């Protein structure tokens, strides 16, 4: 993850401002979307193991596609040591990427809240509980502007 990524910052700020429900996606719906989901769950205070379990759930939802691709590429994959990994990267998620993201955060910051505050200016430390309570309660604190800005995407 690029620290200070503007698109992730805008996404988390929109959620923090109460512009929920929110739809977020990327081309495949697993890489940038997965990173955004990791950040959102961390901001909500979800423990890292649960975050990782959620992240790798994509493999269950993409299982049919993954199996089809591997069956189509079976002969080629036997001849190329790198191809199976490339197929996983393209069609599923690798736990390694999610864990690497968490490791980088921990290398540079003492806590998840410290990471979220300066990197994304998501919320001040005093707002963290209010942010979490608002999203857990399901109450919307402001109404999103529709349609969304199509130029702002992950």
């Amino acid at each position: 993850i690029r620290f200070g990524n503007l698109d992730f910052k805008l996404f988390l700020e929109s959620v923090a401002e109460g512009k929920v429900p929110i739809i977020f996606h990327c081309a495949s719906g697993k890489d940038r979307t997965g990173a955004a989901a990791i950040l959102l769950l961390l901001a909500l205070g979800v423990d890292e193991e649960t975050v990782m379990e959620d992240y790798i759930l994509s493999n269950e939802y993409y299982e049919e596609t993954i199996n089809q691709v591997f069956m189509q590429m079976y002969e080629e994959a036997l001849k190329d040591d790198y191809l199976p990994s490339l197929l996983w990267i393209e069609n599923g998620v690798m736990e390694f990427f999610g864990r690497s993201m968490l490791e980088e955060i921990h290398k540079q910051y003492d806590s998840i809240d410290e990471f979220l505050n300066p990197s994304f200016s998501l919320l001040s430390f005093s707002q963290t509980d209010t942010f979490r309570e608002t999203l857990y309660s399901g109450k919307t604190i402001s109404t999103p502007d529709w349609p969304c800005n199509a130029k702002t995407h992950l």
Side-chain angles (χ1 to χ4, degrees):
I1 183 171
R2 279 188 350 233
F3 291 100
N5 179 301
L6 181 60
D7 291 326
F8 287 134
K9 180 180 190 246
L10 292 172
F11 165 67
L12 291 174
E13 285 176 348
S14 293
V15 174
E17 291 168 7
K19 295 179 180 176
V20 292
I22 191 167
I23 297 171
F24 58 102
H25 61 87
C26 61
S28 294
K30 60 181 184 63
D31 299 315
R32 289 165 291 185
T33 300
I38 286 173
L39 293 174
L40 179 59
L41 291 173
L42 291 173
L44 288 170
V46 176
D47 68 274
E48 292 180 22
E49 282 310 306
T50 302
V51 168
M52 288 308 306
E53 288 171 12
D54 181 77
Y55 177 70
I56 60 174
L57 269 177
S58 291
N59 289 334
E60 286 184 36
Y61 294 108
Y62 283 99
E63 183 176 13
E64 186 177 323
T65 301
I66 293 167
N67 288 338
Q68 287 174 356
V69 168
F70 272 86
M71 291 303 291
Q72 291 170 353
M73 303 296 291
Y74 179 76
E75 293 297 323
E76 291 86 351
L78 291 175
K79 300 173 194 170
D80 184 340
D81 292 338
Y82 298 105
L83 187 56
S85 293
L86 294 174
L87 293 174
W88 266 111
I89 291 168
E90 184 178 329
N91 298 286
V93 296
M94 296 181 76
E95 187 173 350
F96 167 79
F97 292 132
R99 293 225 181 261
S100 295
M101 182 176 161
L102 294 175
E103 286 174 20
E104 281 303 310
I105 292 170
H106 288 296
K107 281 182 188 175
Q108 296 188 38
Y109 298 92
D110 290 332
S111 70
I112 296 298
D113 284 338
E114 183 183 322
F115 160 70
L116 290 168
N117 194 340
S119 289
F120 295 105
S121 300
L122 177 59
L123 8 118
S124 68
F125 292 116
S126 64
Q127 293 173 306
T128 302
D129 289 334
T130 304
F131 169 71
R132 290 174 181 161
E133 286 172 18
T134 299
L135 289 178
Y136 285 142
S137 72
K139 295 177 186 173
T140 303
I141 56 177
S142 69
T143 305
D145 298 326
W146 300 104
C148 66
N149 179 353
K151 294 180 183 174
T152 303
H153 60 281
L154 298 177

